[in-house]
Amino acid sequence: QHRIAVGYTGCGLATPAQYGEGWYNEGATADIATQMTIFSGETLFIFDHWMGTTGIDSTDTSISLTVLSPESLTAIYSTGVKVTMIKNPRQNWGGFIVDGDTLAPADSLTFYWTNGSYHTIAPTQPDYSGDTMRYTFTGWSDSPDTMRTIGPLVDDIELIANYQLEYVYRVFKEPAADTFGYTYIGSNYFYGAESESCEVWFIPGTEIYTQISSYDFAPGATVTFEFIEWDDGWLDTVRTEILTHPIERTAHYIGTAYVRLAKYPAEPYGWLRIADSTYYGAIADGWIQYGTPTEIEASPVDLIPGVDSAYVFDHWSDGGAPIHDITIHSSETFIAYYERMWIDLSLCIEPDTVNFD
């Protein structure tokens, strides 16, 4: 067996609580610990590190070692300071970053650090509650910096991290494919793809001015979107409201897409239909509601005047039935394929009857 001695130094007249001293079988594990902080009168002492006869040097108050020989361990203490960090207003949506470690959730933290030491601190920010409210850091009680180094520490200090509550104001366009216009929220301008879903954060009580485009169209104007109304029934593209809580607004648009029906071969004898509109000839151009089923049809038989032949419908390019619905989200062309067929006249004469088939 070997004896492990545990002691302390540097903490004045105070006696820290320690355990682990005693006799151990060779090869056994000894668990040693000492008190982290202790007062001697009005003076605060903080554990700094261990020292051992075999070179043990650790900054953890609790250590474990394999016993291979006698050992004498001494807990080294030094005078310390109390550092308290508090969020204002109090909220634990986030925490603090201390010496590179993120400690959260926490609305306040207290550390006991050795006299003369340096430490890097920062608040987490923004601190979110869901995705509609957040606190944004505005500055420390004694510094505007977010991340800072404090030290050398000589006295107890209390540091206040000040925050400002903010609410989100979001605007969506529906259909979401409407990425061709613009959105203003306050002084923030969103154009094109980013205008379909955008957000800005404001402090409570802010008056929000919002404007959206009234008529949006894709390059070449083959897809268009026209504003109809907001989700709450407001009919103007411009609106103003006071932000007293998180707000999400949806601007509803009606979309239209350009569609072309064409015959192949391109023959002018029949017709094509898009919804309730009939077009005579080989091509039909029209606009249909974006994302809404719309019926199309091609004439089944196109007779050629003065010729014993006709064009007979065979199939559509999309494989649909002769009469079927199409749903489009962009400009598209649908081909009606025909076959030319000849008409034969058969004459049969019997002794007393003439039949025409």
Side-chain angles (χ1 to χ4, degrees):
Q1 289 188 325
H2 302 291
R3 178 170 175 76
I4 304 298
V6 180
Y8 57 88
T9 188
C11 53
L13 299 177
T15 301
Q18 296 182 314
Y19 68 81
E21 184 174 83
W23 291 89
Y24 292 85
N25 292 330
E26 185 168 340
T29 299
D31 295 320
I32 312 298
T34 192
Q35 190 173 339
M36 179 67 188
T37 60
I38 192 170
F39 281 90
S40 178
E42 297 295 324
T43 303
L44 171 67
F45 292 93
I46 300 176
F47 170 77
D48 188 70
H49 66 283
W50 288 101
M51 288 186 61
T53 55
T54 58
I56 292 176
D57 185 359
S58 174
T59 57
D60 295 327
T61 56
S62 298
I63 59 174
S64 297
L65 64 140
T66 301
V67 178
L68 299 175
S69 62
E71 180 70 65
S72 178
L73 298 172
T74 302
I76 309 299
Y77 286 80
S78 61
T79 56
V81 296
K82 177 183 178 181
V83 177
T84 303
M85 290 171 277
I86 303 173
K87 293 194 173 192
N88 176 44
R90 292 273 191 146
Q91 50 84 12
N92 62 357
W93 298 351
F96 295 91
I97 303 170
V98 180
D99 293 333
D101 295 324
T102 300
L103 307 174
D107 63 356
S108 65
L109 290 175
T110 297
F111 290 90
Y112 296 95
W113 283 321
T114 56
N115 196 294
S117 62
Y118 292 81
H119 300 273
T120 300
I121 62 172
T124 57
Q125 69 96 23
D127 292 345
Y128 286 91
S129 175
D131 64 349
T132 60
M133 295 189 295
R134 72 182 187 184
Y135 277 101
T136 300
F137 177 73
T138 59
W140 291 97
S141 52
D142 62 342
S143 172
D145 298 331
T146 303
M147 180 168 288
R148 55 187 293 205
T149 298
I150 55 174
L153 299 175
V154 294
D155 295 305
D156 294 349
I157 56 174
E158 182 178 270
L159 301 172
I160 307 299
N162 294 307
Y163 282 79
Q164 174 65 60
L165 177 64
E166 294 181 339
Y167 293 142
V168 72
Y169 189 94
R170 290 194 179 100
V171 173
F172 303 99
K173 288 186 175 182
E174 175 62 37
D178 181 6
T179 59
F180 310 115
Y182 65 83
T183 300
Y184 277 102
I185 304 177
S187 61
N188 301 273
Y189 179 66
F190 304 89
Y191 178 75
E194 63 178 8
S195 72
E196 176 269 324
S197 174
C198 42
E199 69 177 37
V200 182
W201 293 82
F202 298 96
I203 63 175
T206 302
E207 184 178 58
I208 311 299
Y209 170 87
T210 306
Q211 181 178 356
I212 56 173
S213 48
S214 59
Y215 187 75
D216 303 340
F217 53 88
T222 56
V223 177
T224 66
F225 295 92
E226 183 177 2
F227 172 73
I228 301 301
E229 65 176 4
W230 293 92
D231 58 290
D232 61 350
W234 187 257
L235 299 178
D236 200 328
T237 57
V238 177
R239 63 186 301 152
T240 302
E241 51 195 322
I242 303 298
L243 192 66
T244 60
H245 58 278
I247 294 178
E248 293 185 349
R249 296 294 183 204
T250 299
H252 294 286
Y253 287 74
I254 287 183
T256 56
Y258 172 80
V259 64
R260 166 170 284 189
L261 308 184
K263 293 186 176 185
Y264 184 85
E267 44 88 359
Y269 304 110
W271 46 265
L272 295 163
R273 181 173 64 84
I274 303 174
D276 296 329
S277 299
T278 301
Y279 305 82
Y280 293 91
I283 294 177
D285 292 327
W287 292 85
I288 65 175
Q289 192 166 335
Y290 178 94
T292 301
T294 302
E295 190 174 83
I296 63 172
E297 182 184 7
S299 50
V301 178
D302 298 346
L303 297 174
I304 304 175
V307 180
D308 294 335
S309 67
Y311 288 96
V312 179
F313 174 81
D314 185 67
H315 68 280
W316 283 102
S317 56
D318 65 345
I323 303 175
H324 71 286
D325 288 342
I326 59 172
T327 302
I328 64 175
H329 298 87
S330 62
S331 175
E332 292 192 39
T333 298
F334 296 86
I335 308 297
Y337 289 93
Y338 284 76
E339 289 187 11
R340 187 170 182 178
M341 295 187 178
W342 294 91
I343 301 174
D344 293 328
L345 177 64
S346 176
L347 178 64
C348 178
I349 300 177
E350 295 184 358
D352 55 358
T353 304
V354 178
N355 293 325
F356 293 92
D357 294 329

